[in-house]
């Protein structure tokens, strides 16, 4: 069992709220810290009056808010972040504040606390354009091609430095593209919105050959909790795990699944993209993570990339 009390930063968001659901179901005392900039209380309303649930609305850019949130906590799942990769080309300052600065504030607050474990959701974008696919955790040198990826890598480095210096254990997950209900950004969400506005045509960023690995949020949560239990029993101060899938899927194939599930037959219009067919500047065109290290602990995804995408489309169509 995971030590209680547990703090989940970003717990009102897409992945965070699914994590809160699972931790509450397991009987833990949960405190959520979220400023609701990307998340919503609707994701947590079923726990609102539960005696083991506490919600703090606060901005992690304020060190006092973070210091208060970590009081009495032994384990922190740090999911708070700006989840939009594309924002890096528009506002690097915002990505710094909502990824690096908030992580720094959390780590500083942890120095004077009883926190023993920090679990951080990083991203496959830290690998950049990897020359080895599927990409293992020990791939290097890490060369992100987006400001988002750079911010995630900076947060990883801070966490590692603080863990080794100040005596807590840190587990870092490098996530593939995570999909499922409650998601409010990403290619599936965008396609559904576009088709609802114009059912006869679907604009697709890039040339459609972008190919990536997708993981359903249910498999993500099971992976995080399984690997955390395993990590606690190791002698490592910091460890890294990829969470993704063994297969991958193209943007065109995702578009075809979405249109099929919506019962539509639109014209697919590709923008052509930038830099050889990428959807945007900084978009990693081909991404598949090596998940053998995670699978050795007994975890493996139940849904393939294709299955994850189809289940996500069906879930979003019911809730969007």
């Amino acid at each position: 069992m995971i030590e209680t009390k547990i703090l989940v930063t970003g717990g009102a968001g897409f992945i965070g709220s699914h994590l809160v659901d699972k931790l509450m179901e397991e009987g833990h005392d949960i405190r959520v810290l979220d400023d609701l900039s990307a998340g919503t209380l609707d994701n947590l309303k079923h726990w609102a009056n539960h005696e083991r649930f506490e919600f703090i609305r606060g901005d992690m850019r304020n060190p006092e808010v973070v210091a208060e949130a970590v009081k009495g906590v032994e384990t922190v799942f740090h999911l708070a972040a700006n989840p939009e990769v594309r924002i890096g080309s528009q506002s690097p300052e915002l990505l710094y504040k909502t990824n690096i600065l908030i992580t720094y504030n959390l780590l500083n607050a942890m120095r004077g606390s009883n926190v023993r474990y920090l679990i951080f959701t990083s991203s496959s974008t830290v690998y950049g354009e990897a020359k080895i696919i599927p990409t293992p955790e020990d791939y290097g040198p890490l060369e992100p091609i987006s400001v988002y990826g750079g911010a995630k890598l900076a947060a990883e480095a801070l966490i590692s430095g603080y863990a080794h210096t100040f005596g807590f254990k840190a587990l870092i997950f490098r996530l593939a593209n995570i999909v499922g209900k409650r998601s409010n950004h990403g290619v599936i969400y965008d396609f559904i919105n576009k088709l609802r506005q114009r059912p006869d045509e679907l604009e697709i960023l890039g040339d459609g050959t972008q190919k990536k690995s997708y993981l359903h949020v249910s498999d993500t949560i099971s992976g995080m909790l399984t690997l955390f239990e395993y990590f606690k029993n190791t002698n490592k101060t910091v460890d890294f795990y990829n969470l993704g899938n063994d297969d991958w899927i193209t943007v065109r194939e995702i578009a075809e699944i979405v249109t099929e599930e919506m019962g539509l037959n639109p014209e697919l219009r590709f923008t052509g993209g930038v830099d050889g067919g990428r959807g945007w500047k900084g978009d990693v065109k081909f991404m598949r993570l090596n998940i053998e290290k995670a699978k050795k602990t007994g975890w493996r995804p139940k849904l393939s990339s294709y299955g994850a995408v189809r289940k996500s489309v069906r879930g979003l169509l019911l809730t969007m």
Side-chain angles (χ1 to χ4, degrees):
M1 293 289 285
I2 298 170
E3 285 73 10
T4 56
K5 185 172 207 173
I6 299 172
L7 171 66
V8 181
T9 73
F14 164 41
I15 302 174
S17 62
H18 285 281
L19 175 63
V20 170
D21 285 348
K22 187 62 175 177
L23 293 173
M24 287 293 293
E25 289 166 7
E26 290 184 350
H28 303 291
D29 291 332
I30 305 300
R31 176 182 294 157
V32 170
L33 173 60
D34 202 305
D35 65 1
L36 302 180
S37 59
T40 171
L41 284 176
D42 284 345
N43 290 338
L44 300 172
K45 60 186 178 183
H46 44 294
W47 303 118
N49 299 314
H50 199 288
E51 60 182 7
R52 288 188 286 102
F53 178 79
E54 177 187 2
F55 179 80
I56 300 174
R57 181 170 184 174
D59 190 334
M60 292 186 69
R61 289 173 289 188
N62 182 339
E64 294 179 2
V65 168
V66 184
E68 187 66 27
V70 299
K71 287 182 178 178
V73 166
E74 290 182 300
T75 300
V76 177
F77 284 85
H78 180 33
L79 283 72
N82 191 310
E84 180 54 73
V85 177
R86 282 175 286 183
I87 201 172
S89 61
Q90 304 160 22
S91 179
E93 181 182 4
L94 181 61
L95 271 178
Y96 161 73
K97 290 179 178 178
T98 57
N99 286 275
I100 304 172
L101 177 61
I102 66 171
T103 302
Y104 169 77
N105 285 343
L106 174 61
L107 292 167
N108 264 346
M110 287 171 54
R111 286 176 59 185
S113 74
N114 295 317
V115 175
R116 299 172 59 196
Y117 302 104
L118 174 63
I119 302 92
F120 175 61
T121 48
S122 186
S123 164
S124 63
T125 57
V126 302
Y127 293 115
E129 292 278 31
K131 295 179 176 63
I132 298 174
I133 295 177
T135 311
E137 288 88 350
D138 59 0
Y139 175 84
L142 299 179
E143 186 182 344
I145 64 169
S146 65
V147 180
Y148 175 86
K152 283 294 189 182
L153 184 56
E156 285 189 10
L158 277 174
I159 289 168
S160 180
Y162 268 74
H164 283 284
T165 303
F166 298 109
F168 61 88
K169 288 169 69 79
L171 180 59
I172 295 171
F173 293 115
R174 291 170 175 166
L175 303 181
N177 291 343
I178 311 303
V179 293
K181 286 194 298 184
R182 302 179 190 166
S183 175
N184 59 6
H185 74 286
V187 63
I188 299 173
Y189 183 87
D190 289 346
F191 283 173
I192 292 173
N193 274 331
K194 287 179 179 179
L195 286 167
R196 282 181 169 168
Q197 293 171 19
R198 186 167 180 181
D200 63 330
E201 178 183 281
L202 177 59
E203 179 194 64
I204 300 174
L205 302 180
D207 63 9
T209 66
Q210 305 100 301
K211 196 171 187 179
K212 304 179 186 183
S213 180
Y214 289 77
L215 186 67
H216 194 267
V217 66
S218 58
D219 283 326
T220 307
I221 301 306
S222 70
M224 290 173 63
L225 297 181
T226 298
L227 292 169
F228 178 44
E229 288 299 315
Y230 178 85
F231 169 69
K232 284 192 299 182
N233 295 315
T234 70
N235 60 6
K236 292 189 176 181
T237 300
V238 180
D239 209 354
F240 301 80
Y241 282 92
N242 291 333
L243 283 182
N245 235 312
D246 284 318
D247 67 339
W248 48 357
I249 185 172
T250 67
V251 170
R252 175 186 279 274
E253 288 171 321
I254 294 173
E256 290 169 351
I257 291 173
V258 174
T259 57
E260 178 186 332
E261 290 293 331
M262 294 181 73
L264 300 173
N265 187 30
E267 176 188 352
L268 303 183
R269 184 170 61 81
F270 299 92
T271 67
V274 298
D275 297 342
R278 306 173 199 272
W280 56 86
K281 190 77 172 177
D283 179 27
V284 176
K285 194 170 184 184
F286 303 108
M287 180 277 293
R288 182 157 62 97
L289 301 176
N290 185 317
I291 58 171
E292 291 306 309
K293 182 179 176 181
K295 286 163 68 175
K296 286 177 181 177
T297 70
W299 171 83
R300 63 188 60 241
K302 294 180 179 178
L303 293 171
S304 66
S305 290
Y306 288 84
V309 168
R310 191 171 293 278
K311 184 174 180 178
S312 300
V313 173
R314 291 175 178 174
L316 287 171
L317 286 175
L318 292 173
T319 56
M320 282 176 61

